[in-house]
Amino acid sequence: FIIITTYASFHKLNTTIFLLILFVLLGVFLYQHKNLPTPKEISKYADKGYRAVTGRIDEQPKISEKGVFFPLKAERVGSADIAGRLNVFTTDRTTLEYGDQVGVRGVIEAEEGLANPFLLKPRRSFKLFATYVERLPGDGGNQLKKLAIFLSGRFNDVLNKILPKKDASLLGSILLGSSVSPLDSSVTEQYRKAGLIHLLVVSGTQVSILIGVC
């Protein structure tokens, strides 16, 4: 890019079309490179029986009436190093936090990715129903993200002190997300039937509207 633009500026050439094509080709190349399988790809272990997986929790776990859900940044399957992300669900109520190092056991399965019509399907994701969860020594994760999670929890505690439980969980779910303030399933079902389930999901659009009104 630097060589082409320098040459063009000295010779007063219009390279707009050439550079546009170059950037399109670079985008295509990077997209293809990103989707190439790697030697440590987790897909090699999908549907291959019961496995022991260790890794780090990549988001704050979501707790519901059915159990606990969290994405796991997998690092090892058995004794083999891997690189990938697993969506883990468990009925084990062990207290878990973002950044915790954990060991889980179960069968790795491929999830069917969703995509809009006429668009390429995203990379396959993988899930694991953990029959066993163990918290291991050590933790990691982004410190700023940990601070944000801590502040969200404190803010939710304040809501629970000043509002009735039902109102506090509803407001907390809208402002902070269901991982911080889980909603009762009956309330969620009412919003779903009314076609307003999107109101319970934190999004940039909602925040922009709120800031604009203020």
Side-chain angles (χ1 to χ4, degrees), residues 65-69 89-94 129-133:
E65 296 173 351
K66 296 180 180 179
V68 181
F69 166 82
F89 177 80
T90 179
T91 55
D92 191 326
R93 297 287 177 169
T94 302
F129 180 84
T131 56
Y132 174 83
V133 178

Side-chain angles (χ1 to χ4, degrees), residues 128-150:
L128 182 144
F129 180 84
T131 56
Y132 174 83
V133 178
E134 179 187 11
R135 191 172 179 176
L136 302 174
D139 61 3
N142 186 292
Q143 295 301 317
L144 289 176
K145 192 170 184 177
K146 285 187 175 183
L147 177 62
I149 292 170
F150 170 76

Side-chain angles (χ1 to χ4, degrees), residues 80-210:
D81 292 337
I82 61 165
R85 188 173 158 114
L86 277 174
N87 294 320
V88 178
F89 177 80
T90 179
T91 55
D92 191 326
R93 297 287 177 169
T94 302
T95 303
L96 300 171
E97 301 288 343
Y98 163 72
D100 284 351
Q101 198 75 15
V102 296
V104 297
R105 296 178 189 172
V107 178
I108 300 172
E109 301 177 50
E111 290 183 311
E112 199 58 46
L114 301 176
N116 290 322
F118 307 112
L119 291 181
L120 294 174
K121 287 187 177 181
R123 293 185 69 179
R124 286 195 309 167
S125 58
F126 299 90
K127 62 183 179 181
L128 182 144
F129 180 84
T131 56
Y132 174 83
V133 178
E134 179 187 11
R135 191 172 179 176
L136 302 174
D139 61 3
N142 186 292
Q143 295 301 317
L144 289 176
K145 192 170 184 177
K146 285 187 175 183
L147 177 62
I149 292 170
F150 170 76
L151 294 176
S152 296
R154 292 298 298 272
F155 185 77
N156 190 56
D157 291 340
V158 173
L159 290 180
N160 284 311
K161 288 179 181 178
I162 64 177
L163 293 173
K165 183 178 179 181
K166 188 175 181 179
D167 297 337
S169 63
L170 179 59
L171 183 59
S173 179
I174 294 172
L175 293 177
L176 306 171
S178 58
S179 62
V180 179
S181 179
L183 264 178
D184 186 82
S185 58
S186 61
V187 176
T188 306
E189 187 59 30
Q190 288 174 353
Y191 273 80
R192 183 176 286 108
K193 287 180 178 179
L196 298 172
I197 192 67
H198 59 282
L199 293 177
L200 304 180
V201 180
V202 180
S203 72
T205 304
Q206 289 170 313
V207 174
S208 299
I209 292 171
L210 180 61

